[in-house]
C-alpha cells in the first residue's frame, strides 16, 4: 500500500525562542484541527508546532479505508511526519495519540514527551472497565459511532463524554460537527492488556503526564500508571474534561503547557 498523503498543519512563530518543534498527535475520532487554539498559543510563546492528521482523519487521505487501519499504520504515519519535519521533536499526544507517542518514544528518543489524558502503555482495558461500569450508555454510543451506526455524535452525549461541565454547547457542537468515525481494528488492538509495557522506562529527556479532573474516558488510575511507567509524577488539570485542548479549560491548558515548556532546558 502506498504511503498516505498526510495533513500536517504547521505554525511557526514570528519570533522563535530556540526550543525544538512540537509534533501534536490527536486522539481517536479527531484530526489535526483539534489543535488549532493550542497551536496559536504556542506560536505566541515562540514555539513551532506541527499538527498531524493520521491517515483517514482530517484532510489526510484514506478515509474510505479507515476501518482497515491498524496501530502499525498510525505509527508509520507518525514516523512519516517526523521524517518530513527533518529535526528532533517534542512529542505531544492526546488519548490515542498519547499511546502512539509512547510507542515512538520507546524506539526513538524525542526531545521531550508530553502525554495528555493518554491511553496508558498497557492499553484500553482499564478505560473499558471504567466506562462500562460508570458510563455504559456513553460507551455504547461511542462504539456505535465508531462502527458507523450513527453519522454524527450526539452533542449532549459528547459533552458528558469529553468536556468540562462548563463548556458552552456551541463549543461542543463545533467539535461534534468535525468528529469522525474511528478504526475499530486499531482500537481493538488495545483491548487486550499488555501489562509488560508498564515496566518503568529509563529516559534522559523530559516527560510530562497530565490528566483531566473530569475525564470520563481515561480514569485517574490509568494516568497514574502512565506516569509511573515513565518515572514521573502525574499531574491533573483542574476543571478539565478529556478533550482539554478544546473545552472550557483550553486556555488554562495552553498556559500550563507553555509554562512547562519554558521550564525545560533545551540543547
Amino acid at each position: 500500500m502506498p504511503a498516505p498523503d498526510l495533513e500536517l498543519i504547521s505554525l511557526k512563530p514570528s519570533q522563535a525562542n530556540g526550543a525544538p518543534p512540537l509534533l501534536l498527535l490527536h486522539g481517536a475520532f479527531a484530526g489535526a484541527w483539534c489543535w488549532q487554539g493550542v497551536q496559536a498559543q504556542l506560536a505566541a510563546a515562540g514555539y513551532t508546532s506541527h499538527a498531524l492528521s493520521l491517515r483517514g482523519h482530517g484532510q489526510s487521505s484514506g478515509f474510505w479505508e479507515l476501518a482497515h487501519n491498524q496501530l502499525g499504520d498510525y505509527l508509520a504515519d507518525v514516523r512519516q511526519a517526523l521524517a518530513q519535519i527533518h529535526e528532533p521533536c517534542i512529542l505531544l499526544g492526546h488519548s490515542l495519540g498519547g499511546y502512539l507517542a509512547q510507542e515512538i518514544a520507546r524506539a526513538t528518543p524525542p526531545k521531550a514527551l508530553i502525554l495528555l489524558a493518554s491511553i496508558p502503555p498497557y492499553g484500553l482495558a482499564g478505560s473499558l472497565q471504567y466506562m462500562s461500569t460508570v458510563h455504559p450508555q456513553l460507551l455504547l454510543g461511542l462504539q456505535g459511532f465508531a462502527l458507523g451506526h450513527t453519522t454524527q455524535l450526539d452533542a449532549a452525549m459528547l459533552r458528558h463524554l469529553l468536556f468540562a461541565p462548563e463548556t458552552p454547547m456551541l463549543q461542543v457542537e463545533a467539535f461534534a460537527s468535525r468528529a469522525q468515525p474511528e478504526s475499530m481494528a486499531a482500537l481493538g488492538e488495545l483491548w487486550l492488556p499488555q501489562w509488560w509495557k508498564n515496566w518503568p522506562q529509563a529516559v534522559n529527556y523530559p516527560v510530562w503526564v497530565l490528566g483531566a479532573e473530569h475525564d470520563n474516558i481515561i480514569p485517574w488510575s490509568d494516568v497514574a500508571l502512565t506516569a509511573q511507567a515513565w518515572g514521573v509524577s502525574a499531574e491533573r488539570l483542574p476543571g478539565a474534561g478529556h478533550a482539554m485542548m478544546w473545552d472550557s479549560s483550553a486556555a488554562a491548558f495552553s498556559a500550563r503547557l507553555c509554562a512547562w515548556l519554558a521550564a525545560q532546558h533545551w540543547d
Side-chain angles (χ1 to χ4, degrees), residues 66-90:
L66 180 69
H68 303 290
N69 290 344
Q70 298 183 329
L71 291 177
D73 298 316
Y74 291 159
L75 291 170
D77 295 344
V78 179
R79 295 188 186 99
Q80 182 178 327
L82 287 169
Q84 184 176 332
I85 295 169
H86 291 305
E87 59 180 310
C89 290
I90 300 165

Side-chain angles (χ1 to χ4, degrees), residues 10-13 16-17 19-23 42-43 46-50 87:
S10 301
L11 188 59
K12 297 183 178 181
N17 61 15
L22 290 92
L23 177 58
L42 287 170
Y47 298 95
T48 295
S49 64
H50 308 275
E87 59 180 310

Side-chain angles (χ1 to χ4, degrees), residues 11 38 56 71 109 122 138 147 159-160 172 174 198 227 248 251:
L11 188 59
V38 175
L71 291 177
Y122 77 91
L138 299 182
L147 292 168
R159 184 180 189 180
H160 191 178
V172 176
N198 281 359
S248 58

Side-chain angles (χ1 to χ4, degrees), residues 21 59 107 131 173 193 222 238 251 263:
Q59 297 302 310
M131 290 190 69
E173 290 166 356
D222 272 2

Side-chain angles (χ1 to χ4, degrees), residues 152-187:
Q152 185 172 335
L153 283 169
D154 176 74
M157 183 193 79
L158 193 68
R159 184 180 189 180
H160 191 178
L161 186 68
L162 295 180
F163 296 101
E166 298 80 10
T167 305
M169 279 304 297
L170 284 177
Q171 204 167 332
V172 176
E173 290 166 356
F175 189 100
S177 68
R178 303 184 74 171
Q180 62 164 81
E182 185 52 76
S183 168
M184 289 301 290
L187 295 179

